[in-house]
Amino acid sequence: MATKSVLVLLLVAAATTFAQKQCCYPIQFEGSWGSIIAQVQAGQAMTQTYGFQFAYDYTNRRLGAITYKEDLGVMTKFQYIFEYSQGVEYDIQVKPQISSCVKRTLNATIAHCIPASATYLGSSYYGDHKLNVDFFQYFRSMGPSNYANVTVTVSQGDCIPFSVVNEGKSNGVPTLEIRGYVNYTSGISDPSKYFTVPSVCQSSNHETPKMQTSPFDKILP
Ligand SMILES: *[C@@H]1O[C@H](CO)[C@@H](O)[C@H](O)[C@H]1NC(C)=O
Ligand SMILES: *[C@@H]1O[C@H](CO)[C@@H](O)[C@H](O)[C@H]1NC(C)=O
Ligand SMILES: *[C@@H]1O[C@H](CO)[C@@H](O)[C@H](O)[C@H]1NC(C)=O
């Protein structure tokens, strides 16, 4: 009898440990992510690397990301602003002399949680029990030429993105993206850094519909 109760308790404990909830990300935070994207185009393999600082603002349904690239001694700032509630996206380039802005229609909702369709794969830890993480996997499809098998890792409990692997097709091209998130800080210390739309976007009243998904579509998994 006693043995049976212990066994039942163990089974219940095992069941609760295993049934990890599809958690939701913090409401507002900043961080950086780096990614490597490998693609096969016309039989040729190619890779690209990206590094971005970003701000995630679920309260105001917006995302911002900034990166800098130097080319032939000229530093260019690339900035992306996704205003989900307004349905617009701004792709901004700032160079010492010239700036440009493309305003696009954004028909999407901001991600906030690991999707309900995700399967919990298991948990692991990094370092000497420094970080416990949960692994989830799901399939995301935006049509026959844009889909991905997504494996996402988040910190256990607070649900801060740690890594993402996207394996699938991007505009029909076989694509593998591996992404890591670092330097989380809670809240957004200076929202204007990410979300103030520069004047160059007002003058260019271009509204180009989004034709293709960019690697920046999904700042969060
Ligand atoms: C926006 O997306 C939804 C869901 O994918 C779709 O049903 C709708 O037609 C889209 N609207 C526009 C204006 O493209
Ligand atoms: C996603 O990838 C995993 C590992 O490669 C595989 O086991 C799983 O079947 C894939 N899921 C889908 C929907 O393709
Ligand atoms: C992360 O933070 C450390 C310490 O503040 C800083 O030195 C490093 O440059 C940051 N990394 C990125 C990718 O922002």
Side-chain angles (χ1 to χ4, degrees):
M1 171 62 196
T3 320
K4 203 175 161 193
S5 314
V6 169
L7 197 61
V8 166
L9 273 178
L10 281 178
L11 286 175
V12 169
T16 29
T17 331
F18 263 79
Q20 288 291 340
K21 279 282 288 171
Q22 286 90 348
C23 60
C24 295
Y25 313 124
I27 297 290
Q28 286 178 322
F29 63 98
E30 287 178 69
S32 293
W33 100 75
S35 77
I36 180 158
I37 299 179
Q39 295 189 313
V40 181
Q41 269 180 318
Q44 285 283 89
M46 44 186 264
T47 60
Q48 282 173 284
T49 56
Y50 296 95
F52 278 90
Q53 306 173 324
F54 72 93
Y56 172 79
D57 184 352
Y58 185 68
T59 308
N60 298 299
R61 304 290 194 275
R62 60 190 185 176
L63 277 168
I66 297 172
T67 193
Y68 294 87
K69 255 186 208 153
E70 204 193 306
D71 188 30
L72 304 171
V74 179
M75 188 64 89
T76 306
K77 176 189 180 184
F78 294 85
Q79 180 174 11
Y80 299 85
I81 304 173
F82 301 87
E83 289 281 0
Y84 290 86
S85 53
Q86 296 169 20
V88 288
E89 170 189 335
Y90 300 94
D91 298 356
I92 304 143
Q93 284 188 32
V94 182
K95 287 183 192 183
Q97 305 299 330
I98 28 160
S99 297
S100 64
C101 176
V102 177
K103 187 179 173 186
R104 301 177 198 272
T105 304
L106 178 68
N107 181 20
T109 50
I110 188 167
H112 183 44
C113 304
I114 302 286
S117 65
T119 308
Y120 166 68
L121 293 183
S123 300
S124 291
Y125 61 85
Y126 287 88
D128 187 0
H129 292 269
K130 286 291 195 292
L131 176 68
N132 295 316
V133 295
D134 291 332
F135 288 78
F136 294 94
Q137 192 167 65
Y138 60 95
F139 196 74
R140 183 179 69 226
S141 177
M142 292 156 291
S145 52
N146 282 295
Y147 59 84
N149 189 343
V150 185
T151 309
V152 48
T153 313
V154 293
S155 59
Q156 217 169 64
D158 43 17
C159 204
I160 296 164
F162 180 77
S163 71
V164 177
V165 176
N166 287 309
E167 192 188 353
K169 276 191 178 172
S170 175
N171 304 315
V173 177
T175 301
L176 172 67
E177 179 189 13
I178 298 168
R179 186 188 294 188
Y181 294 84
V182 295
N183 290 3
Y184 167 88
T185 54
S186 175
I188 301 169
S189 59
D190 178 11
S192 67
K193 171 180 164 186
Y194 291 100
F195 299 114
T196 299
V197 177
S199 51
V200 63
C201 294
Q202 263 79 60
S203 54
S204 80
N205 49 8
H206 258 20
E207 184 143 346
T208 333
K210 185 132 206 166
M211 296 306 287
Q212 49 183 15
T213 53
S214 70
F216 323 109
D217 268 349
K218 291 276 167 187
I219 289 170
L220 288 181

